[in-house]
């Protein structure tokens, strides 16, 4: 590559700390991940059966500099060579977000680099661009994570229309709560995914919630209660609980609803490309069911590798790049916004 081409490169240093992963990455020209470092706090929070916000913030403070340094050294770049710094500023745990936002501001200020605040959900959606170089908007994206379940029309880079969202629990949250109830522990999603392979998804008829006034909206709290009631009923009657059957039947109920709502939107909106994103997108049963449904509808199906489904900074680097090339820059007053909605002005 000659110097002129090198000068046109846009290299983003990205930071993510919205929940329990301390992550940094370097992304070149939007889709080339030069490095992606993730320090997962899962082992720490497993002791408490879920994420403890205060512990998460403290661990982020401890790890953030190491993670940023490793991302730069893995990419064989110095801070000077970075074009801009992107950081998740919401939604998420406020204390956790603040660590990343403060670190990004300090680095950008000291190195005189532009600063770009990124919406976490936009990051999840953009994870699809990393390995699918041909994917361009418009496409429909199902975002399913621990905190969110959204059906989003990606009209253009950075332009989103939310067709549906959860009315109560997020899909990942339901996985985590049900896993805890059947004794699988935290984090529930991957454990239910694995245990389900041994169970019968038709063993127990759990409900599939329908929302009358918006066919695209989701509700998972009724399903969670149905699982808890089933477990209580079994205990009271002295019936032994088949963990794998409960896991598989619960998972099937979630997957059925996610696929059905997604395909309803595909049909009604004449969608040609469909993508899935977020931690729950790494669920093997959901991936297979969506792929099959898209094939039947003649729609192209995209999904990130599991490592780019769960929280990471590479996806923030991709989203940050598309915001940066649109001219988005943030000031030193950039703040953490725990309940930031997709489409809100940052
Ligand atoms: O995207 P993510 O890392 O964090 C948020 O932004 O929330 O998602 C974490 C969620 C957790 O609820 C976790 O249980 C779920 O994603 N998850 C899964 C799987 N892997 C992670 N859910 C179902 N199946 C999986 N294989
Ligand atoms: Zn996330």
């Amino acid at each position: 590559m000659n110097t002129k081409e090198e000068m046109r490169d846009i290299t983003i240093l990205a930071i993510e700390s919205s929940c329990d992963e301390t992550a940094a990455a370097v992304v070149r020209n939007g889709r080339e991940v030069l490095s992606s470092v993730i320090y997962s706090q899962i082992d720490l929070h497993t002791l408490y059966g879920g994420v403890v916000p205060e512990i998460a913030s403290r661990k982020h403070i401890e790890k953030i500099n190491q993670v940023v340094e490793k991302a730069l050294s893995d990419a064989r770049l110095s801070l000077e060579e970075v074009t801009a710094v992107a950081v998740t500023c919401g939604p998420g745990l406020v204390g956790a977000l603040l660590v990343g936002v403060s670190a990004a501001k300090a680095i950008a200020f000291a190195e005189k680099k532009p600063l770009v605040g990124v919406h976490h959900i936009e990051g999840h959606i953009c994870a699809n661009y990393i390995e699918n170089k041909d994917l361009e908007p418009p496409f429909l994206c199902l975002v399913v994570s621990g905190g969110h379940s959204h059906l989003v029309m990606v009209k253009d880079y950075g332009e989103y229309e939310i067709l549906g969202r959860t009315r109560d629990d997020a899909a990942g949250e339901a996985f985590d709560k049900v896993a805890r109830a059947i004794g699988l522990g935290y984090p529930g999603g991957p454990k239910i995914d694995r245990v389900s392979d041994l169970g019968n998804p038709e063993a127990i008829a759990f409900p599939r919630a329908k929302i009358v006034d918006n066919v695209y909206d989701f509700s998972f709290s009724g399903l969670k209660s149905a699982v808890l009631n089933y477990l209580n009923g079994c205990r009271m009657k002295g019936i032994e609980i088949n963990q794998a059957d409960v896991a598989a039947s619960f998972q099937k109920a979630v997957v059925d609803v996610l696929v059905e709502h997604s395909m309803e939107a595909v049909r009604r909106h004449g969608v040609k490309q469909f993508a899935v994103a977020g931690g729950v997108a790494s669920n093997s049963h959901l991936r297979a069911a969506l792929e099959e449904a898209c094939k039947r509808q003649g729609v192209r199906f995209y999904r990130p590798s599991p490592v780019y489904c769960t929280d990471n900074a590479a996806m923030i680097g991709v989203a940050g790049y598309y915001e940066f090339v649109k001219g988005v820059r943030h000031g030193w007053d950039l703040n953490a916004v725990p309940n930031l909605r997709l489409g809100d002005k940052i």
Side-chain angles (χ1 to χ4, degrees), residues 122-308:
E122 179 168 17
H124 275 303
I125 294 169
C126 289
N128 276 288
Y129 296 134
I130 297 171
E131 295 150 302
N132 301 303
K133 310 291 180 203
D134 60 325
L135 176 62
E136 304 245 17
F139 61 92
L140 180 69
C141 188
L142 172 70
V143 190
V144 270
S145 71
H148 313 273
S149 302
H150 282 38
L151 202 48
V152 182
M153 193 63 83
V154 182
K155 295 175 153 184
D156 202 344
Y157 293 104
E159 225 184 279
Y160 306 101
E161 183 191 342
I162 299 175
L163 301 183
R165 51 160 60 85
T166 181
R167 297 284 179 102
D168 38 59
D169 291 354
E173 201 179 342
F175 269 95
D176 294 336
K177 287 176 177 169
V178 166
R180 196 180 310 155
I182 59 174
L184 283 172
Y186 177 85
K191 291 186 175 166
I192 289 191
D193 195 349
R194 269 195 304 275
V195 169
S196 291
D197 291 340
L198 312 169
N200 172 11
E202 312 296 338
I204 309 147
F206 288 131
R208 276 88 169 137
K210 273 205 166 35
I211 310 287
V212 187
D213 54 336
N214 185 350
V215 287
Y216 306 131
D217 275 358
F218 306 104
S219 166
F220 295 110
S221 75
L223 169 60
K224 175 195 67 192
S225 302
V227 175
L228 297 180
N229 287 341
Y230 170 82
L231 296 173
N232 279 337
C234 288
R235 278 181 202 120
M236 275 160 55
K237 290 179 213 147
I239 300 168
E240 203 184 322
I241 291 157
N242 183 324
Q243 196 186 43
D245 280 353
V246 178
S249 302
F250 157 77
Q251 181 177 259
K252 178 83 171 30
V254 176
V255 169
D256 281 356
V257 167
L258 293 175
V259 173
E260 196 183 303
H261 291 204
S262 299
M263 291 308 120
E264 188 68 33
V266 160
R267 282 188 292 272
R268 290 195 192 192
H269 288 262
V271 168
K272 302 274 183 297
Q273 312 187 94
F274 179 86
V276 64
V280 182
S282 56
N283 183 277
S284 56
H285 302 256
L286 177 63
R287 289 160 89 90
L290 284 171
E291 184 160 19
E292 176 63 32
C294 282
K295 205 196 242 170
R296 257 185 276 126
Q297 296 286 329
V299 169
R300 280 210 63 179
F301 174 62
Y302 295 90
R303 78 274 184 289
S305 291
V307 70
Y308 294 128

Side-chain angles (χ1 to χ4, degrees), residues 16 18 120 124 145-146 148 278-279 309-311 315:
E16 154 66 40
S18 66
H120 184 75
H124 275 303
S145 71
H148 313 273
C309 287
T310 42
D311 288 350
M315 67 184 196

